Amino acid sequence: MQIYHIPSIYTPVRSVLAIWHQLTKAEIPELAKCSVLMRERSRVEETIYAMQRAGAGSLQVISDFDMTLTRFAHNGKRVPTTHNILDNQLLIDEDCTKKMRELLNTYYPIEIDASRTAEEKLPLMVEWWTKVHKLLISQRIRKDMLAQAVRESSAMLRDGYKVFFDRLTEQQVPLLIFSAGVGDVLEEVIRQNHVFLPNVHVISNYMDFDQTGVLRAFKGQLIHTFNKREGALSHAAGLRALQGRPNVLLLGDSLGDLTMADGVSQHQNLLTIGFLNDQVDERKESYMNSFDIVLVKDETMDVPNAILRYITSSRYRK
């Protein structure tokens, strides 16, 4: 048996491999799950390790909401998005329901079509959201009925969500939720799950109600899946809680979500996690080429929770 002596020039490589072995086998075994895909394991290792050394005080988390913090499906049925939750007889009539479903069936396949570029999709997404908002405004939705509509819906956050929110709060790590959904509904979902905590900040499409509590418009610039960069640049820089935190953990389920961190000035380390919920074979390659970690049909927060536990725990500090 021959013994090869590794020259000192290879020490960094050995260190990285040692880190990976340690992270996977002992400290973050969740990264070894069969649902976890990574194109560049070494980059993931190095980023997690660098974020861990910097600690919780340097970290912020930026996340999408629908199908990222919420489940994609449960018991074989799709879990409603914030827009779908509004599909309730309390709020909209049957004709509006039918039209919204027709729009979903028309535009959702375009949104997830791996053969189209973001530039091609952008005007069509604006078209979709604008039509949906016009329909909702026409229904004169009452603000005081939103909480009941959420309670009656089958909205579900991913398994392990409480551990995720609680850990961030305990470690005083800000969470920026960036959603193309409806902010009023989103807030009600997390409020009813008892995780609308002081470190949570939401950027989304908010309803504008008149003095009688009836929906009359949507506030500000329209946010959709493929213009989150503009929203990030205009909003995130103004949030003081996010300043001085150069390490970013980003969670999303769409390639458009990757631009959510563009508002973070001078970030040092960025780790992106993509939930691949649907059309896995068609989209797997593009997700692996875009996200650092891809979670395939994983309805839990296990991997983000394990990474957060490692980054924020002084037990691992070197």
Side-chain angles (χ1 to χ4, degrees):
M1 179 179 178
Q2 289 182 297
I3 297 174
Y4 294 93
H5 294 283
I6 301 174
S8 59
I9 192 171
Y10 292 111
T11 301
V13 177
R14 286 195 303 168
S15 299
V16 166
L17 291 175
I19 291 165
W20 173 245
H21 181 78
Q22 185 181 24
L23 289 182
T24 308
K25 299 296 183 186
E27 290 159 359
I28 314 183
E30 290 83 355
L31 288 174
K33 287 170 64 173
C34 60
S35 59
V36 178
L37 303 177
M38 281 173 276
R39 187 186 44 143
E40 291 185 65
R41 285 180 178 265
S42 60
R43 205 191 87 73
V44 171
E45 300 152 17
E46 289 168 353
T47 304
I48 292 175
Y49 198 57
M51 292 167 90
Q52 178 264 332
R53 280 179 295 173
S58 297
L59 181 67
Q60 60 175 290
V61 178
I62 301 176
S63 180
D64 173 51
F65 187 72
D66 289 318
M67 298 177 283
T68 297
L69 292 180
T70 62
R71 291 180 64 120
F72 177 75
H74 180 62
N75 292 335
K77 289 186 66 176
R78 286 287 300 271
V79 169
T81 64
T82 53
H83 277 107
N84 297 147
I85 289 169
L86 296 173
D87 182 3
N88 183 307
Q89 287 185 346
L90 283 169
L91 304 174
I92 65 175
D93 60 32
E94 286 185 23
D95 183 56
C96 183
T97 294
K98 181 184 173 187
K99 287 176 179 175
M100 284 180 63
R101 285 179 184 164
E102 286 171 354
L103 290 172
L104 177 69
N105 293 336
T106 300
Y107 291 100
Y108 179 66
I110 295 170
E111 181 185 344
I112 65 171
D113 186 350
S115 69
R116 298 191 190 218
T117 66
E119 289 72 24
E120 289 177 274
K121 294 178 184 181
L122 198 150
L124 295 167
M125 294 302 100
V126 172
E127 200 174 277
W128 180 15
W129 264 263
T130 301
K131 287 178 179 177
V132 166
H133 286 182
K134 281 183 179 177
L135 279 173
L136 293 173
I137 292 165
S138 74
Q139 295 297 293
R140 297 181 58 78
I141 290 171
R142 293 192 56 82
K143 184 177 185 178
D144 59 6
M145 302 302 285
L146 291 179
Q148 187 177 341
V150 170
R151 275 193 299 273
E152 292 181 0
S153 76
S154 54
M156 293 179 71
L157 296 174
R158 288 185 186 268
D159 293 355
Y161 75 89
K162 195 169 188 317
V163 172
F164 177 77
F165 280 88
D166 286 351
R167 183 82 186 185
L168 293 176
T169 303
E170 287 163 10
Q171 298 292 325
Q172 298 181 330
V173 174
L175 168 62
L176 175 60
I177 299 176
F178 214 132
S179 175
V182 182
D184 309 80
V185 179
L186 184 166
E187 288 190 7
E188 192 58 40
V189 171
I190 58 177
R191 188 178 291 112
Q192 290 188 19
N193 281 280
H194 311 293
V195 287
F196 198 2
L197 303 163
N199 62 316
V200 177
H201 310 275
V202 181
I203 296 174
S204 188
N205 297 302
Y206 279 90
M207 294 173 161
D208 189 8
F209 297 94
D210 66 19
Q211 290 181 333
T212 65
V214 172
L215 176 64
R216 64 176 184 180
F218 277 80
K219 299 175 183 176
Q221 178 194 359
L222 173 70
I223 297 174
H224 57 78
T225 312
F226 294 99
N227 75 339
K228 288 187 175 180
R229 180 178 187 275
E230 288 73 18
L233 291 171
S234 63
H235 290 86
L239 289 172
R240 289 184 182 177
L242 308 182
Q243 293 171 9
R245 291 178 175 269
N247 293 334
V248 181
L249 179 63
L250 183 148
L251 313 178
D253 75 301
S254 162
L255 298 183
D257 292 332
L258 288 162
T259 63
M260 293 188 299
D262 286 3
V264 181
S265 59
Q266 300 177 329
H267 67 251
Q268 291 175 5
N269 298 289
L270 171 64
L271 185 71
T272 60
I273 300 177
F275 288 91
L276 181 49
N277 300 308
D278 198 13
Q279 294 193 352
V280 173
D281 292 338
E282 297 90 334
R283 300 199 288 167
K284 184 164 70 173
E285 185 178 358
S286 63
Y287 271 54
M288 286 190 68
N289 287 335
S290 304
F291 287 98
D292 298 315
I293 299 172
V294 178
L295 305 180
V296 179
K297 290 187 176 292
D298 184 344
E299 296 287 2
T300 75
M301 294 296 289
D302 291 352
V303 170
N305 281 341
I307 291 171
L308 273 176
R309 183 180 67 241
Y310 179 77
I311 291 172
T312 61
S313 176
S314 57
R315 180 159 60 103
Y316 301 117
R317 197 112 312 122
K318 299 293 186 283

